[in-house]
Amino acid sequence: MLAKDPKNAEAILLRGVALSASDPDRALADLGTAAAGLDREAAKPLRQARIEILSRQRDAAGVERELRALVADYPEGGYGADLARFLVATGRVDQAEAALREAIKVDPDNFDLKYSLAQFLSRARNRPAEAEATLKEFIAAQPDEPRLPILLGTFYEASGRPEDAMVQYQLAASRAASTPTGLEARARIATLKFEAGDAVAARAGYDAVLAEAPDNVPGLTGRGQLNLAEGKFQDAISDLRGALRKEPENASALLALARAHSGLGDANLARDAYRSLLQA
């Protein structure tokens, strides 16, 4: 393939990954040279592969150098969170926070980065109150953005505060109605009801979401888990496979699918789902 198309990024990547098993230094050099000759989007997976190889070589300085280069060259790519995780893992918490805040400043509409900062403050800094306040500041700065209440609700769920999470999801749903964000919020409301023991209300919520968007992943995953809990294994499998068609690596759906197959006594299919989960 490379003989006909020497700039085929996918073929270059496959060759580099294969070569890295026997000659990682040469693989790094080849991937670097090839990336330099490609446009920025085509070069991105090759540069990511270099980070994976450097990580396997335990070359921390090389990993940091490549991550910082990605942050600089792809400010919209969310690599600030990857750099922050690396810096935390290497004991540089102050630098990690600075990297996250700078990444948000450069890409203020990246909601994953904003939630990463909240997680960082809560976990790495052990300052959950500051994490909550930071998310509320983001909401105050963009009061009409429905994604932000979902982030705060997610934070509340992770903190064991489902009632507070419900308020935020309801706020997001009221702002976004039938948009993808609103449908996600409504599916999350249904999940909170399911977890609170109200299966009837949860099913009604999931059904309403899926009536508007039959391929909605949170709705399919949630209803699949509800069907699993009620012993409706075939219905669960149908929903969960629908979710996985859109998100093949959805860990929640894969785990529930494995359990549904186990419930039907399909050990081989359950094993396949568990295997996919481990690879996700």
Side-chain angles (χ1 to χ4, degrees):
M1 187 180 293
L2 284 171
K4 293 182 179 179
D5 182 7
K7 288 195 173 184
N8 186 302
E10 183 177 355
I12 295 169
L13 177 61
L14 291 173
R15 183 184 65 183
V17 171
L19 181 60
S20 69
S22 58
D23 192 345
D25 290 333
R26 183 180 169 191
L28 285 167
D30 285 357
L31 288 167
T33 300
L38 297 173
D39 65 68
R40 67 191 299 272
E41 286 306 312
K44 191 188 301 184
L46 276 62
R47 297 176 67 174
Q48 292 170 332
R50 281 175 52 85
I51 291 174
E52 292 176 11
I53 295 170
L54 289 165
S55 181
R56 291 201 301 270
Q57 289 186 304
R58 301 179 185 275
D59 184 350
V63 170
E64 181 175 354
R65 182 179 62 251
E66 295 292 327
L67 280 172
R68 289 190 181 279
L70 282 175
V71 170
D73 294 342
Y74 303 89
E76 77 293 347
Y79 292 109
D82 295 326
L83 175 60
R85 281 190 289 271
F86 171 80
L87 292 170
V88 169
T90 53
R92 288 172 287 171
V93 177
D94 290 341
Q95 290 185 42
E97 182 173 348
L100 274 174
R101 292 190 182 278
E102 180 60 28
I104 292 169
K105 190 182 301 182
V106 172
D107 189 12
D109 291 328
N110 189 318
F111 301 115
D112 290 337
L113 282 174
K114 289 180 175 180
Y115 191 66
S116 293
L117 176 60
Q119 286 184 308
F120 169 85
L121 292 170
S122 181
R123 297 174 183 176
R125 292 291 202 191
N126 194 28
R127 299 203 298 254
E130 183 179 349
E132 180 181 358
T134 297
L135 289 171
K136 287 181 176 179
E137 288 172 8
F138 291 144
I139 292 173
Q142 293 178 279
D144 296 324
E145 174 49 64
R147 283 294 312 171
L148 292 170
I150 289 183
L151 296 188
L152 183 55
T154 303
F155 174 78
Y156 284 145
E157 276 201 82
S159 304
R161 298 164 60 182
E163 296 85 359
D164 291 330
M166 178 70 82
V167 171
Q168 296 303 316
Y169 296 152
Q170 288 171 336
L171 177 60
S174 69
R175 289 178 178 174
S178 296
T179 67
T181 297
L183 291 168
E184 178 185 350
R186 289 161 58 189
R188 287 175 177 245
I189 290 169
T191 296
L192 286 176
K193 290 178 178 178
F194 172 36
E195 292 173 349
D198 192 345
V200 173
R203 184 174 295 280
Y206 291 133
D207 287 348
V209 167
L210 294 169
E212 294 185 39
D215 62 349
N216 180 271
V217 173
L220 287 167
T221 303
R223 193 172 69 179
Q225 292 171 322
L226 174 58
N227 284 327
L228 174 63
E230 294 182 344
K232 299 174 181 177
F233 301 124
Q234 200 59 59
D235 289 341
I237 289 169
S238 177
D239 283 337
L240 296 165
R241 283 179 173 167
L244 290 165
R245 275 193 290 273
K246 285 197 71 174
E247 293 184 7
E249 297 184 354
N250 185 307
S252 296
L254 284 168
L255 179 58
L257 180 63
R259 290 173 173 169
H261 282 308
S262 294
L264 289 175
D266 294 330
N268 289 334
L269 291 175
R271 192 178 304 114
D272 289 343
Y274 280 123
R275 187 179 297 115
S276 297
L277 176 62
L278 293 172
Q279 294 171 349

